[in-house]
Amino acid sequence: MDVLKVSSKSNPNAVAGALAGAIREKGIAELQAVGAGAVNQAIKAIAIARGYVAPSGIDLVCIPAFTDITIDGEERTAIKLIVKPRSS
């Protein structure tokens, strides 16, 4: 599964393009975000990516969770957003 790291300075359109590509290629992707600004950009990217893959008949769903990551030797709690097509 591809892990896309999102920061508060990430361009949501660029993240959405990477997310759509990962979904088309592998069928599932994960976004990681630390902080409110990063989570905001990640959610925007998911909304934009839904529009990118919708013409192909793919409807995306997002499963949020917490995960612990290490940044510069420091433990941080991140939001993990697993994105995959809706199964019918």
Side-chain angles (χ1 to χ4, degrees), residues 5-85:
K5 296 181 180 176
V6 182
S7 82
S8 60
K9 295 177 173 61
S10 294
N11 179 339
N13 289 305
V15 176
L19 178 58
I23 294 292
R24 287 188 181 112
E25 188 177 309
K26 301 228 169 104
I28 190 168
E30 176 183 321
L31 284 86
Q32 282 184 354
V34 177
V39 172
N40 181 50
Q41 297 302 80
I43 294 296
K44 283 189 216 173
I46 294 168
I48 294 166
R50 286 190 75 212
Y52 289 168
V53 299
S56 306
I58 301 170
D59 186 21
L60 297 180
V61 294
C62 171
I63 303 163
F66 290 107
T67 188
D68 293 323
I69 61 172
T70 304
I71 300 175
D72 298 330
E74 186 180 329
E75 283 287 315
R76 303 286 303 268
T77 300
I79 296 287
K80 171 170 71 172
L81 301 166
I82 298 167
V83 181
K84 62 182 189 173

